[in-house]
Amino acid sequence: MYLFDNPGVFLKRTSIKRWPETERPREKLFMLGPDKLSNCELLAILLQTGFKHEGNSISALDLAKEILIEFEELKGLINVLPSELLSLKGIGKAKAAKLVAAFELGRRAAALKNGNCKSFKCSEEVASYYIPILKDLRKEQFRVLLLDTKNKIIKEELISQGSLNSSLVHPREVLNPAIRGSAASVIFLHNHPSGDPEPSMDDIEITRRLCKSFDIVGINVLDHI
C-alpha cells in the first residue's frame, strides 16, 4: 500500500517552493554541500517535481520517501529497472530514465575511482574494491582487469554477461584485450547473483583454460575473484 493511498496523509503538505530556502533540498546542497543532505533529499533533487494525487499535491520529497520505502533504501535502487520505477505512482518515463542514468553514472564513477588506485597489494584489496560494484548486479558478469608491472590497473574489460559457461568466456575473447593493452598480468572477476561465493564446476574449468592460455603468451594470471 502506498502512503499516497492513505486519505488525508498529504492534505497539509506544502509545495517545496514555499518552504524556507534553508530547508529546500537544492538550496541546501549549494549552501552545505551534497554530503550534508539525506538520501531522500538527494533523490528529490533528481526527481525535481512531485505530482498530483486525488487533488493533493505530492512534493518531490514525499515521492522520494515513497521510492526509498518501496525499494528498501539505496541498496534496492542500485540496479533498479526502468519498468520497476514506472510501476510507482508519480514516476513517468522522464523521471525513471533520470534515476536509472544517475545510478549508472555513479557505478561508472566508482569503477573509474577503482581504476585510479596506485596498485593492488593482494587479492583482498581487489575484492574490497569490486565486491560493492558487482555484488548487487542481477546478471552474471565476467570481467578482466589488465595490470601493469606494478599491479596498477591499465583497463577493465567486460567480457561477457549472462550465465557463465565456457562457451561465453572463450580464451580468445579474454586474451585479445590483454595483449592489446600490453598487460603484464590479469585478474579475472565475476559475480554470482545468487549470492553463493563458492565456485561452480564451470568456474573452475574456465579458470583452468584461461590460465593455460595466458601462460602460453607469458601474461600472469594473479587471481580469479
Side-chain angles (χ1 to χ4, degrees), residues 164-225:
L164 196 63
N165 57 55
S166 57
S167 64
L168 288 176
V169 184
H170 192 280
R172 179 180 61 252
E173 303 301 322
V174 190
L175 274 169
N176 283 343
I179 293 172
R180 290 198 308 269
S182 300
S185 57
V186 295
I187 294 175
F188 306 134
L189 300 166
H190 88 274
N191 64 309
H192 286 170
S194 66
D196 182 3
E198 290 299 315
S200 66
M201 292 304 296
D202 268 338
D203 295 343
I204 295 170
E205 175 59 20
I206 289 167
T207 303
R208 186 191 66 78
R209 291 178 61 194
L210 290 175
C211 286
K212 184 177 180 180
S213 299
F214 274 80
D215 184 57
I216 292 172
V217 297
I219 298 176
N220 296 323
V221 175
L222 300 184
D223 208 339
H224 185 169
I225 297 172

Side-chain angles (χ1 to χ4, degrees), residues 144-148 152-157 177-178 181 183 185-186:
V144 59
L145 299 183
L146 312 182
L147 308 176
D148 63 16
K152 183 177 179 180
I153 296 178
I154 300 170
K155 192 176 182 181
E156 174 189 328
E157 291 274 354
S185 57
V186 295

Side-chain angles (χ1 to χ4, degrees), residues 24-25 34-36 42-43 72 74 87 90 120 138 149 151 163-165 197 202 214 224:
R24 300 176 196 170
D35 59 313
K36 301 300 182 183
L42 291 171
L43 199 56
E72 299 180 353
L74 288 181
S87 69
F120 288 121
R138 299 185 181 191
T149 54
N151 289 343
S163 297
L164 196 63
N165 57 55
D202 268 338
F214 274 80
H224 185 169

